[in-house]
Amino acid sequence: MRRSCPAIAALLLAPFAAHAADDDAPTYAFGAGAQRMPSWQGAKDQRTQAIPYVDIDLPGVGELSTADGLTLDAIGGEHWHGGAYGNWLWGRTRGDLGPLGGKVASLSPRFQAGGYLEYAFDKRFSVGTHVAHDTDGAGGYAAVYADYQLPDVWYIQHSLEVQVEGMNGPAMRRFFGVRPGEAAALGTSTWRPGAGWQSANVEYDAFVPTSQHTGFALAVSYGRLFGDAGDSPLVRRFGSTRQVTETLAFVYHF
């Protein structure tokens, strides 16, 4: 069960581990790597940062990962899964904003809590949705996704995921709104976006083993901002609707 979030810069790495002898056996993966990502949601510039890698998958119980946060499976059926969902949502620092620093608000990171529901057609293809709300704020978030595990190439495991994400009004205005004082500093019009879908993303993930217990995990995500998010002066004048994130990590799994 992977729920990647490439449009909100909290997305670190889609979890992958080598085939386990028993598909229902717990898997544990730890490692470290680097990620190149937009400086802030809607930015045209990118930054590179070191990242940790953690993926603990307990079938029938839940998962904890640095990519998708925490899920606790309360349904645990053959096809249906669902329960509690939590994730960390990165904000933007003044340094991330570059020349916009001091002209638009910096945003502190926040923790999201909510729920998810997923249907697995088989071991390769699943669809799902999750909704979450800031635990310290008024932001609400939702996503729908479809994930397909591609046939293995040699020992390489890989998959594709398509995801569409949305925000409520307070969250949309927090990330993409422009208040009167900010508009005056930037020389733009004000912008007060409403609730709606704000991004669509396609992500490719792969795990390339180097031994029985080690390997490289990589992820490449391409996203497009649209709607009120894509029309924000922050994006149209100073950023880009095109959002690309690349991640590479060395992983030890057992």
Side-chain angles (χ1 to χ4, degrees):
M1 294 175 291
R2 293 193 310 279
R3 284 150 295 279
S4 307
C5 303
I8 41 183
L11 202 158
L12 295 180
L13 185 63
F16 254 85
H19 283 308
D22 180 357
D23 288 338
D24 294 325
T27 59
Y28 306 87
F30 304 93
Q35 182 177 64
R36 185 166 175 78
M37 61 190 294
S39 297
W40 42 274
Q41 284 197 59
K44 63 181 177 181
D45 300 320
Q46 291 193 306
R47 59 188 171 95
T48 301
Q49 64 181 32
I51 59 166
Y53 181 101
V54 175
D55 181 31
I56 301 172
D57 188 7
L58 305 175
V61 177
E63 180 180 5
L64 173 64
S65 81
T66 47
D68 303 323
L70 172 70
T71 59
L72 295 176
D73 193 353
I75 297 177
E78 180 180 357
H79 297 287
W80 286 102
H81 298 272
Y85 169 78
N87 209 343
W88 187 253
L89 178 64
W90 293 105
R92 62 191 185 211
T93 66
R94 180 168 179 156
D96 294 334
L97 289 166
L100 299 183
K103 297 180 180 178
V104 298
S106 301
L107 305 176
S108 60
R110 290 179 176 178
F111 184 76
Q112 304 171 312
Y116 79 98
L117 182 65
E118 182 175 276
Y119 183 82
F121 292 91
D122 51 37
K123 292 184 181 299
R124 290 190 177 274
F125 181 56
S126 61
V127 297
T129 182
H130 60 76
V131 295
H133 198 279
D134 288 341
T135 57
D136 182 23
Y141 309 86
V144 293
Y145 60 89
D147 182 273
Y148 181 69
Q149 183 176 334
L150 299 166
D152 292 359
V153 176
W154 189 52
Y155 291 108
I156 299 173
Q157 295 176 277
H158 54 166
S159 73
L160 284 175
E161 182 174 86
V162 177
Q163 181 165 265
V164 179
E165 299 177 334
M167 297 178 174
N168 69 355
M172 191 78 80
R173 290 187 287 275
R174 181 171 185 257
F175 283 96
F176 302 105
V178 182
R179 293 174 292 188
E182 294 171 334
L186 296 174
T188 68
S189 59
T190 60
W191 188 249
R192 185 176 172 80
W197 300 104
Q198 101 279 357
S199 69
N201 313 280
V202 178
E203 183 170 318
Y204 173 80
D205 306 289
F207 180 81
V208 183
T210 56
S211 72
Q212 183 179 358
H213 294 288
T214 62
F216 287 97
L218 64 90
V220 179
S221 172
Y222 176 84
R224 296 283 293 188
L225 296 175
F226 59 87
D228 283 356
D231 290 336
S232 168
L234 293 178
V235 177
R236 296 186 68 179
R237 287 198 54 183
F238 305 101
S240 173
T241 57
R242 177 177 174 271
Q243 303 283 280
V244 178
T245 300
E246 302 117 347
T247 310
L248 178 66
F250 183 74
V251 178
Y252 179 85
H253 65 86
F254 56 95

